[in-house]
Amino acid sequence: MKTIFRRFCKRKASVLGLIVLILFVLVALVGPSLCRQDPMAINAGQIHKPPSAQHWFGTDYLGRDTLTRLVYGARISLALSVSAVLSGSLIGVLLGVCAGYFGKRVDAIISRVIDILLAFPNLLLAMLVVAILGQGLFNTAMAIAISSVPSVARMVRGVVISLRSSQYISASRVMGESNTRIIFTHIIPNSVSQIIVNTTLNLGTAILSASSLSFLGLGVQPPNPEWGQMLSLARTALRLNPSEALFPGIAITLVVMSFSLVGDGLRDALDPKLKNVS
Amino acid sequence: MLRYTIKRLLQLIPTLLAVSMIIFFSIRLIPGDPISLMYGLSEAGGVDPAFIEQMREQYGLNDPLITQYFRYMGNIIFHGDLGTSIVTKKPIMDELMNRYQYTIVLALGGTLFGSIIGIAVGIISAVFHNKAADNFLMAFSMIAVSMPSFFLGMILMLVFSLNLGLLPSVGMKGVKYAILPVATLGLYAVGLIARTTRSSMLDVVNQDYIRTARSRGVSKTKIYLSHAFRNALIPILTAIGLRFGILLVGSSIVETVFTIPGLGRFMIDGISHRDYPVIQSTMLVFATTFVLVNTLVDLLYGFVDPRVKYD
């Protein structure tokens, strides 16, 4: 654990990413209770105002405080992407392990399905799910979870296939260990580092997809302060008050970038055998 | 090569059939009766059930799903008929033909822009590995990948059209109108293509045959551009193919930012209005285009790397 942390710290950019993420998580957790204003409070006298002492990040088309909405939005964006990616990864890992470990028929069926789903660009798959389920917070999370399953499953399948033929797995099998036991005590622990790295990288993608869906009006619905949706509202007043778009845009970029940096750092730290060219 | 090409083309048939089935049957899961939707009637409204039944019969909605699927596919393949939009009541094919060009221009233009700049950035980074130029370019790529395209598009619009007044910000009436949207999509692609190019080049540069070439006195520039680049090309092509799919669907975002009447916007409006024939057809076109482009990329592998043919 200590060595992992030391190796992670070698990459300064990743440490920076981790710090930014921790800050955003703190904002999401305690921020709303520190805010003096209500994210939904409409103020007709303060429409599209640039940053000022009273409204540090300015206000939107209903006079709502951008900073407050951004803070509440952090909660929505992070909770949405974390829950979506975790559930998507769980299903993906299960499918991938089954396909890779059992091989033959099971693998043939799962792999065909994955191949077909991979014929859809990720965002299109998410849109298809939204088209069926409808918009909203929960459905957006579902859409992102489902659209992340195929790539996770394929990655895990590859890892498991390379593990399956190793000698210690054969040895366990000869010793009469059950499949379930082999999967949970050998296969999953040995592929966990790649799963963690992949999940971290997916978190960034999930934030991008969720905010894109909300920007298009297919994701989180008003009046919930979601970052992508805030940008969508700011678009109409871009010339009048650019700060309205700037702050949520920077927030999304920072969080997405931090997840990528932390993911890269984790890859170096957890799996030194993996080729590291960056 | 011919056998490989034919094999890849034949593989298209089951893939496209499966894709069309997934779309067709998932769209059938949308709750609500299409006829009630079509006539703007609420389910509880006092409509003559006999009328709805008659319309259902007329549109063939009472047939088994599998019959409906084959009829839908048959109409597309033999009559070029994608059905009628519930909202506009117009044939979807006409609308699609008008809009597809914009989306293709955006996706292809963005991919081309992203590939040219991305490969250049990647090669420069690899040449100056771990020097200041490399660090700067990689930081730039990182930001480009992380920035949502709607945010980037709005920044470009704010700077180049609203503040400087150099380029139009709305619509698609000529080359000048395409610059900002294509750049928005392209910059998003730059990040990944640059990173892939760089790491793929660095992989190749550490191989024995490159060291051999170096020891025989071949110049560094020549090694990078002719020996290394050609051998690093397969992962780069894969990255470009994948990016194309992302840009294709991402065009819906850029079309929203720059108010372009493209196919992506048509699909989004379809989803918002639950216009299921539109959703079904636009998604089919998007997925088919993506599958075709990926097949094309696979075929390119064969040209780039002769070893692929023998698989």
Side-chain angles (χ1 to χ4, degrees):
Chain A
M1 197 66 204
K2 225 173 186 176
T3 41
I4 291 174
F5 187 69
R6 204 177 313 128
R7 262 187 258 143
F8 181 82
C9 290
K10 267 194 198 147
R11 277 181 68 122
K12 290 193 196 79
S14 302
V15 177
L16 192 70
L18 187 64
I19 294 172
V20 172
L21 278 186
I22 292 173
L23 281 178
F24 269 100
V25 171
L26 281 178
V27 164
L29 287 178
V30 298
S33 49
L34 298 178
C35 284
R36 282 161 299 146
Q37 280 147 351
D38 179 354
M40 320 278 189
I42 296 170
N43 186 344
Q46 293 283 328
I47 288 172
H48 290 311
K49 285 279 182 271
S52 63
Q54 198 195 351
H55 300 285
W56 290 357
F57 286 6
T59 61
D60 73 355
Y61 80 115
L62 290 174
R64 297 177 294 195
D65 184 57
T66 302
L67 177 60
T68 312
R69 290 179 65 75
L70 212 55
V71 168
Y72 278 83
R75 195 174 261 194
I76 294 182
S77 292
L78 289 175
L80 192 156
S81 61
V82 168
S83 55
V85 169
L86 286 186
S87 38
S89 292
L90 191 70
I91 301 172
V93 167
L94 282 178
L95 286 175
V97 167
C98 287
Y101 185 77
F102 294 109
K104 295 184 191 128
R105 269 240 185 88
V106 182
D107 183 27
I109 295 170
I110 296 178
S111 296
R112 278 301 83 74
V113 175
I114 293 172
D115 282 348
I116 293 164
L117 290 179
L118 284 172
F120 290 86
N122 210 293
L123 192 59
L124 192 68
L125 203 54
M127 286 172 177
L128 183 61
V129 177
V130 170
I132 299 165
L133 299 177
Q135 293 103 316
L137 189 65
F138 180 74
N139 292 346
T140 311
M142 282 282 280
I144 286 162
I146 293 174
S147 68
S148 72
V149 169
S151 58
V152 174
R154 189 159 78 164
M155 186 273 300
V156 173
R157 173 181 173 269
V159 176
V160 173
I161 285 179
S162 68
L163 285 176
R164 192 182 52 180
S165 47
S166 51
Q167 289 190 333
Y168 67 92
I169 301 285
S170 311
S172 322
R173 208 173 292 144
V174 170
M175 281 160 66
E177 285 187 22
S178 70
N179 283 333
T180 333
R181 198 180 145 82
I182 295 177
I183 288 176
F184 283 100
T185 55
H186 300 299
I187 300 270
I188 291 186
N190 279 296
S191 38
V192 83
S193 59
Q194 291 188 51
I195 295 172
I196 291 178
V197 171
N198 193 274
T199 306
T200 316
L201 294 173
N202 274 350
L203 280 169
T205 322
I207 298 232
L208 271 185
S209 310
S211 60
S212 302
L213 286 176
S214 301
F215 177 80
L216 291 168
L218 303 179
V220 180
Q221 297 296 302
N224 286 317
E226 202 274 344
W227 292 344
Q229 197 223 103
M230 288 171 72
L231 270 155
S232 158
L233 295 174
R235 193 175 74 92
T236 45
L238 197 55
R239 190 203 289 267
L240 194 64
N241 183 16
S243 68
E244 226 176 294
L246 212 56
F247 292 112
I250 291 174
I252 299 174
T253 312
L254 273 179
V255 172
V256 173
M257 192 157 65
S258 304
F259 275 123
S260 311
L261 290 173
V262 171
D264 285 349
L266 280 176
R267 179 169 44 211
D268 292 0
L270 288 172
D271 209 343
K273 280 172 292 179
L274 273 181
K275 239 178 311 171
N276 169 29
V277 275
S278 38
Chain B
M1 194 66 220
L2 187 68
R3 264 187 68 184
Y4 175 69
T5 311
I6 292 173
K7 199 178 127 201
R8 285 301 287 121
L9 289 180
L10 284 179
Q11 280 171 356
L12 269 178
I13 300 172
T15 311
L16 288 178
L17 274 179
V19 164
S20 65
M21 279 187 184
I22 289 188
I23 295 175
F24 185 87
F25 293 115
S26 337
I27 296 298
R28 287 301 176 284
L29 296 173
I30 296 180
D33 175 47
I35 299 295
S36 314
L37 273 172
M38 198 178 294
Y39 290 92
L41 312 166
S42 63
E43 324 261 319
V47 196
D48 184 6
F51 172 72
I52 289 193
E53 196 49 39
Q54 188 198 335
M55 293 313 280
R56 285 187 67 86
E57 198 60 49
Q58 190 185 325
Y59 282 93
L61 291 168
N62 288 338
D63 297 338
L65 272 183
I66 193 82
T67 316
Q68 292 186 39
Y69 169 75
F70 282 113
R71 187 165 48 224
Y72 176 67
M73 291 308 285
N75 280 338
I76 295 178
I77 296 167
F78 299 113
H79 309 288
D81 176 16
L82 284 167
T84 318
S85 156
I86 290 179
V87 175
T88 63
K89 310 269 191 302
K90 285 184 196 147
I92 294 171
M93 197 52 149
D94 298 354
E95 188 100 3
L96 211 130
M97 281 305 179
N98 283 330
R99 289 168 171 266
Y100 194 49
Q101 42 175 341
Y102 298 120
T103 301
I104 282 298
V105 165
L106 290 179
L108 280 182
T111 310
L112 199 67
F113 180 101
S115 307
I116 293 172
I117 299 189
I119 289 173
V121 166
I123 291 180
I124 296 172
S125 281
V127 172
F128 296 100
H129 182 41
N130 278 345
K131 303 224 173 77
D134 177 29
N135 292 336
F136 173 78
L137 287 174
M138 280 303 109
F140 163 78
S141 311
M142 194 66 178
I143 296 173
V145 180
S146 309
M147 212 180 233
S149 47
F150 46 90
F151 181 45
L152 183 61
M154 281 158 83
I155 293 179
L156 292 179
M157 185 197 267
L158 187 68
V159 174
F160 291 98
S161 51
L162 299 183
N163 285 348
L164 298 174
L166 290 174
L167 293 163
S169 64
V170 171
M172 190 67 151
K173 298 189 206 83
V175 179
K176 239 182 151 182
Y177 289 82
I179 296 175
L180 286 183
V182 164
T184 305
L185 279 175
L187 276 172
Y188 182 61
V190 162
L192 188 93
I193 295 173
R195 281 158 66 95
T196 313
T197 306
R198 176 177 176 275
S199 63
S200 176
M201 288 287 281
L202 289 176
D203 271 355
V204 173
V205 167
N206 291 326
Q207 304 277 330
D208 289 343
Y209 62 87
I210 296 289
R211 205 177 309 130
T212 311
R214 273 298 272 159
S215 64
R216 286 170 64 199
V218 183
S219 79
K220 204 174 173 186
T221 327
K222 185 149 188 239
I223 284 182
Y224 272 95
L225 291 181
S226 64
H227 296 235
F229 181 61
R230 200 164 162 195
N231 284 293
L233 207 54
I234 290 241
I236 301 174
L237 272 179
T238 312
I240 293 176
L242 280 177
R243 277 293 106 155
F244 177 81
I246 294 177
L247 296 198
L248 193 67
V249 183
S251 67
S252 57
I253 296 168
V254 173
E255 283 162 16
T256 305
V257 174
F258 292 97
T259 331
I260 298 166
L263 195 60
R265 204 46 243 177
F266 194 38
M267 175 172 72
I268 304 302
D269 291 340
I271 298 176
S272 310
H273 295 124
R274 306 215 139 188
D275 192 344
Y276 84 95
V278 170
I279 308 176
Q280 186 169 296
S281 305
T282 45
M283 287 209 166
L284 194 60
V285 173
F286 273 118
T288 307
T289 313
F290 183 55
V291 171
L292 289 179
V293 168
N294 273 333
T295 305
L296 201 69
V297 171
D298 274 1
L299 290 179
L300 278 177
Y301 289 165
F303 285 106
V304 173
D305 188 341
R307 282 169 298 184
V308 172
K309 276 179 262 179
Y310 301 109
D311 277 355

